[in-house]
Amino acid sequence: MAMEAGSGSARTLAACVIGGIVLGASVLALHLAGPTAIPSLPPLDAVRRRFRRRRRPVRVYMDGCFDMMHYGHCNALRQARALGDELIVGVISDEEIKANKGPPVTPLHERMIMVRAVKWVDDIIPDAPYAITEEFMNKLFTEYDIDYIIHGDDPCLLPDGTDAYALAKKAGRYKQIKRTEGVSTTDIVGRMLLCVRERSSDAHNHSSLQRQFSSGHGQKVDDGGSGSGTRVSHFLPTSRRIVQFSNSRGPGPDSRIVYIDGAFDLFHAGHVEILRLARELGDFLLVGIHTDQTISSTRGRHRPIMNLHERSLSVLACRYVDEVIIGAPWDVSKDMITTFNISLVVHGTIAENMDFMEDDSNPYAVPKAMGIYRRLESPLDITTSTIIRRIVANHEAYQKRNEKKEASEKKYYESKSFVNGE
């Protein structure tokens, strides 16, 4: 045992001597090679800045009018958010919209409510300019720490014909997403103008244009002699799109589930605010979207303007909504309450028609009898009819605006090519 211990000590000593010789030779070689052989280390501040840049979230910016906000706007914001970690949205001022496109249907404060409620939006910049000027672009990069400016693949031209995003492209800070086809504010305004015109004329048949909108029939509808046409909805609902918009999570076992239903046609700030209040009353907000047939039977054959799947996506994009029932029944039954474990059924004080509350066939009779019905004071006095009245009141201005936009949209569809995106 003593001999083995002595042998181990000798080996350790020999290893130390050899290691010392190698280290000494390395130091001598570096010294003889001169100071340039030693790699220079970056200053500590530079290392810290580089580390912070790696840790800092990627912030992307997208602007828009977001007038009469629809699921196409929401899908653009969803795609933009996927290109970064934080999405900052610029909401263009009323004055800038009027100067570049024509009068907006919804004022800035309503558009801000709508954009802020989209679940992919992290922050907003009100009164954003229509064109990305050098001054505003530098402000985005320095004050807001924006990394990239985002826009769809459809052209955005200023009145003088120049590209509104030319400077961002030149700076190498521009990224493009795919436009959501089948809907636009121009298209929706056109639908309303057509429906109003049909309602006021002596129609020789009873086939509503809205039925064409909801079914997606036809390529376009002539606008009555002006030579331009308004595209009928070509929305093609897919299961993937619904999954992309949904939260993909259900309520917990002890969640307080709140239920609210309605048409949610031309999804507007009034809808958003009542949904916000409803969500505050529980842990999970379930929203029922009535069918096109149900809405037509209660509000006339010219309604809804948006079809069931279009309306469902707009509601799903709202941050206050957890889940929707696509094609909810008119009556809230005991079986439905039990199936979805609903704790509270609510309805706002502002709606298209409140007469049903006095009828014997009150759709909320069951939850009222169960003591789980509550009427909420609506924060905003806005309905779908409010939006339609705005269009009718400025019919000529919106007709001119649409004719101008329809020309650019037609050009886009004729020259479009495949763009990767969803």
Side-chain angles (χ1 to χ4, degrees), residues 105-370:
V105 179
T106 48
L108 179 63
H109 71 275
E110 290 182 21
R111 292 185 285 117
M112 286 174 60
I113 289 173
M114 296 298 295
V115 175
R116 201 185 295 276
V118 176
K119 59 187 171 186
W120 299 290
V121 174
D122 294 291
D123 201 1
I124 64 173
I125 300 175
D127 286 317
Y130 190 82
I132 303 290
T133 63
E134 187 168 3
E135 180 185 3
F136 184 71
M137 185 173 69
N138 291 333
K139 184 177 181 179
L140 290 176
F141 296 157
T142 56
E143 292 186 27
Y144 293 98
D145 290 327
I146 298 298
D147 295 287
Y148 297 102
I149 295 170
I150 317 293
H151 191 259
D153 62 310
D154 54 319
C156 183
L157 302 179
L158 299 174
D160 62 1
T162 58
D163 185 354
Y165 296 91
L167 290 175
K169 293 175 181 177
K170 185 178 180 181
R173 307 281 286 271
Y174 176 85
K175 286 191 176 184
Q176 184 173 275
I177 58 171
K178 185 177 177 64
R179 170 181 170 157
T180 304
E181 296 181 13
V183 69
S184 68
T185 300
T186 304
D187 165 52
I188 296 169
V189 170
R191 297 189 206 185
M192 282 186 279
L193 291 174
L194 286 166
C195 287
V196 168
R197 190 155 49 244
E198 183 196 43
R199 185 169 55 191
S200 62
S201 65
D202 295 324
H204 61 273
N205 62 64
H206 299 289
S207 174
S208 170
L209 288 172
Q210 175 51 37
R211 298 282 66 75
Q212 297 180 46
F213 297 147
S214 298
S215 302
H217 298 316
Q219 290 296 318
K220 71 177 185 178
V221 179
D222 187 77
D223 79 348
S226 71
S228 65
T230 298
R231 293 181 59 86
V232 173
S233 171
H234 275 231
F235 173 63
L236 301 174
T238 64
S239 56
R240 183 172 63 169
R241 178 70 77 233
I242 293 172
V243 169
Q244 287 169 340
F245 272 53
S246 75
N247 288 345
S248 301
R249 65 174 182 269
D254 301 318
S255 294
R256 177 176 169 82
I257 300 173
V258 179
Y259 178 74
I260 185 171
D261 61 2
F264 298 100
D265 195 16
L266 298 179
F267 196 61
H268 52 71
H271 291 137
V272 167
E273 288 295 88
I274 197 67
L275 291 174
R276 177 181 61 80
L277 291 185
R279 182 62 176 80
E280 290 175 355
L281 297 176
D283 308 303
F284 192 91
L285 181 60
L286 176 65
V287 181
I289 316 291
H290 294 150
T291 65
D292 296 343
Q293 292 74 20
T294 297
I295 297 167
S296 291
S297 66
T298 57
R299 300 180 189 177
R301 66 189 182 92
H302 298 278
R303 300 285 190 91
I305 302 297
M306 310 290 285
N307 68 44
L308 174 61
H309 288 94
E310 292 176 312
R311 292 182 284 115
S312 297
L313 286 181
S314 291
V315 175
L316 269 175
C318 181
R319 67 173 70 249
Y320 309 119
V321 176
D322 294 292
E323 189 173 1
V324 303
I325 299 175
I326 303 174
W330 178 252
D331 294 304
V332 182
S333 65
K334 176 70 183 303
D335 180 68
M336 180 179 171
I337 292 170
T338 304
T339 298
F340 291 99
N341 195 28
I342 295 170
S343 304
L344 182 67
V345 177
V346 300
H347 194 278
T349 54
I350 301 295
E352 294 286 322
N353 184 357
M354 299 293 287
D355 293 343
F356 64 81
M357 300 298 292
E358 310 302 328
D359 295 343
D360 294 334
S361 57
N362 187 335
Y364 304 106
V366 171
K368 286 182 78 172
M370 295 173 64

Side-chain angles (χ1 to χ4, degrees), residues 65-69 73 92-94 97-98 101-111 184-190 192-193 266-268 382-395 397-399 401-402:
C65 302
F66 304 106
D67 194 17
M68 293 183 62
M69 195 161 188
H73 291 131
I92 296 170
S93 69
D94 294 343
I97 296 175
K98 189 173 182 179
K101 299 178 69 172
V105 179
T106 48
L108 179 63
H109 71 275
E110 290 182 21
R111 292 185 285 117
S184 68
T185 300
T186 304
D187 165 52
I188 296 169
V189 170
M192 282 186 279
L193 291 174
L266 298 179
F267 196 61
H268 52 71
I382 304 173
T383 66
T384 300
S385 293
T386 305
I387 308 298
I388 294 176
R389 281 195 295 270
R390 292 175 184 175
I391 297 292
V392 174
N394 294 280
H395 178 277
Y398 291 122
Q399 186 68 54
R401 166 180 159 173
N402 265 28

Side-chain angles (χ1 to χ4, degrees), residues 18-39:
I18 294 170
I21 293 171
V22 171
L23 179 61
S26 300
V27 172
L28 180 62
L30 288 172
H31 177 72
L32 293 174
T36 56
I38 302 175

